Amino acid sequence: MPLSDGRLGQYVADGRRAEIQSRVSSLLEQMTLEEKVGQLNQRSVHFVTGTEDEGAALESAVADGEVGSLLNATDLETKRHLQQLAVEESRLGIPLLIGFDVIHGYETIFPIPLAQAASWNPDLAERAERIAATEAAAAGHNWTFAPMVDVSRDPRWGRVMEGAGESPVLGSAFAEARVRGFQGEDLSDPDTVLACAKHFAAYGAVEGGREYNTVNVSETALRERHLPPFEASVQAGVGSLMNAFNVHERIPASGHESLVDGVLKGDWDFSGVLVSDWASFREQIQHGTATDRREAARKAIEAGSDIDMASEVVIDELPGLVREGDISEERLDDAVRRVLTVKGLLGLFEDPYRYFDAERREEAMLADEHREAAREAACESFVLLQNEGDRLPLDPEADVALVGALADSGEDTLGAWSFEGRPEDAITVREGLESFLDRAVPFAPGYELPGEVTEASIEAAVETATDADVAVTVVGETAAITGEAASRADIDLPGHQRRLVEALAETDTPVVAVLMNGRPLAIDWLAESVPAILDVWHPGVEGGPAVAETLFGEHVPAGHLPMSFPSSVGQVPLAHDRLPTGRPAEDAESGYTTGYIDAPNEPLFAFGHGQSYTGFAYTDLTLSTDAIDAGETLEATVTVENVGDVAGRDVVQFYVRDLVGSRSRPEKELLDFETVELAPGERADVPITIEDTDLAFWTADREWAAEPGEFDLMVGHAADDIAHTERFALLE
Ligand code: NOJ
């Protein structure tokens, strides 16, 4: 397995590569069949804290070399104790990989990943993961099950909060950045952890947005939409990938040979390790593609999956399968070699305790600079969805009333998947506002979480708002109705929050909405009821101060949506890169055009949408040439001017349309983006470079290639707000 190809190999110092490889080979020679299989067995540690028997059983399995990795361990001493058993009691003393879901921070919780993607600033995500890795590694973890790089265009799916939204281009940029952030410079540094791109593949396409459901995507959609962020992660040297729960072409991903062995380990030559999702090897039985545990283990290992997370079919069945010749020793050795190699990269053979350091842990957790980074990340992730009459920013001298239980909830400020984050460490919107204004702010919860109201709760809220100059109402989703196993069929505000907002809107006090959410919501009524909506997602531990700074204009919002907000749930799935149809909606003279009779085709807020307290104008989109040959590049430049009164950051979005292809091509799709900071009146030229490979797609010949022809390059403020278009050609 090559460590010298500059991908995974870049995370190890030159001198150590050969050493790791020879250590791995020598271990493999010494290992019994059972010891090899033990390396492929991953166990969950919550059993240690479960019954005494379960704890003792896990301890003896580790001491006997029957466990290669752990997940779900929280307590530092438990982790150290189990590592010690592996190193000191097992025959070959092979240390454990210790994995954990570090999804948007460890103790310093950052904004949810979807929010981070709204910054369109991959450097921000890299920095967030660097900090997350520093904290997780100081707490005994050497592996994180992140980043989730699933592309999704269905906000009903609760897990969209973990990803980067609907675009494979934006998703790939964030995938690479996150991998670099976790893995740092050198995986053996004590502040880096092995990353895991998940869930391979197409989990974001679960039908109806229903969790764990069937996926039914074409090969074209798989190649163009779902695989690119995984390939980008592999190119960035990610050390591990995780199987998806779903089927692809009706074959469960864990046992999908052409996906795993063919694409991942074949075409992409992935040299890291592939772990199952929780019990997904065994779940082939429930999918109806394996009769029993033995067949489930065989199909998964044969397909090229390596580690069995929690289903224990591998530890029970693989020795027999190898002895009877149903799985080759070569395949077993390949899987084990991958596991041992990542252990070598992490420096575990030299010092298996390098990730346990109480002093470093003490210094790292919630360090001032970590909180500061979390606050900046929160600010950058906020999206100003609308701001009629420049209602925002607010005047700090104004009498502000605050309404909405979410404003007072630490847990929901953090968001889902924040296991080691403590609600009491989160600064809520209420606390943030009061500390910014240095005074008490009249507050009424208005609803009980997630959204129940009573006549009395609405009355109290209306009364609180009535005397104020402006009412800030914080509405949206609790963390618990987002994330894994939290699909929603109705993506409006939960409960009766709408009744509260409508009652507030009837007062004479202007109302500004702060939206906390883990997914795009269908809230056209909200957009009609209030003049201003600031989307702050689940903003993390420093959410409150970031919201206050933004509401009062100390920070100028610059986030843009990484995922379309539908105007009604019936439009879902929808995304900016839709295909044309034979009956374009614009051909109005016939009634037989694409659309609904009871809803628009367009989203409420489009992909890329996001307002500012200033404005940006685009002029002079120029191309360095109007035709390129394969292998040549074209430079496109647009002049951006800050035409408002305050300094601000703009996200310049470039979209492309391939006019004629062997397959129908999207009406527009994101091609590239750049961010630029400008003072009032300042102008800058923003260039991008286009290569023919940027125009490639999965052609009718079933290959990844750019086809000669004409292309429209568009520059815009959002997918539905294109300022200029220029045409160029790719020559034969
Ligand atoms: C199931 C989830 O799908 C996966 O993302 C996670 O990493 C594992 N559980 C482990 O917690």
Side-chain angles (χ1 to χ4, degrees), residues 582-642:
R583 302 287 181 91
E586 305 80 64
D587 289 354
E589 74 260 24
S590 138
Y592 293 87
T593 56
T594 186
Y596 303 96
I597 55 169
D598 57 356
N601 288 352
E602 305 310 324
L604 173 64
F605 298 117
F607 174 80
H609 170 79
Q611 298 190 7
S612 171
Y613 297 154
T614 186
F616 299 95
Y618 298 166
T619 48
D620 305 329
L621 173 62
T622 54
L623 307 185
S624 57
T625 168
D626 58 10
I628 52 169
D629 273 315
E632 289 181 351
T633 60
L634 174 158
E635 191 159 286
T637 309
V638 66
T639 306
V640 183
E641 181 177 355
N642 181 341

Side-chain angles (χ1 to χ4, degrees), residues 30 66 68 183 198 211 238 241 280 321 332 355 359 375 466 482 559 578 623 630 663-664 674 706 711:
Q30 299 168 57
E66 292 168 8
Q183 298 193 166
K198 68 190 189 185
E211 185 66 305
V238 72
L241 257 76
S280 69
L321 286 164
L332 172 67
Y355 296 94
E359 205 176 303
R375 194 182 48 72
T466 303
T482 75
R578 66 186 179 199
L623 307 185
R663 293 188 200 269
S664 180
E674 287 294 332
F711 297 81

Side-chain angles (χ1 to χ4, degrees), residues 71 101 145 159 198-199 242 245 277-278 309 417 484:
L71 85 155
D101 288 293
F145 303 123
R159 302 198 73 167
K198 68 190 189 185
H199 306 83
M242 184 185 289
F245 282 127
D277 201 345
W278 182 277
M309 178 193 284
W417 286 109
E484 187 178 352

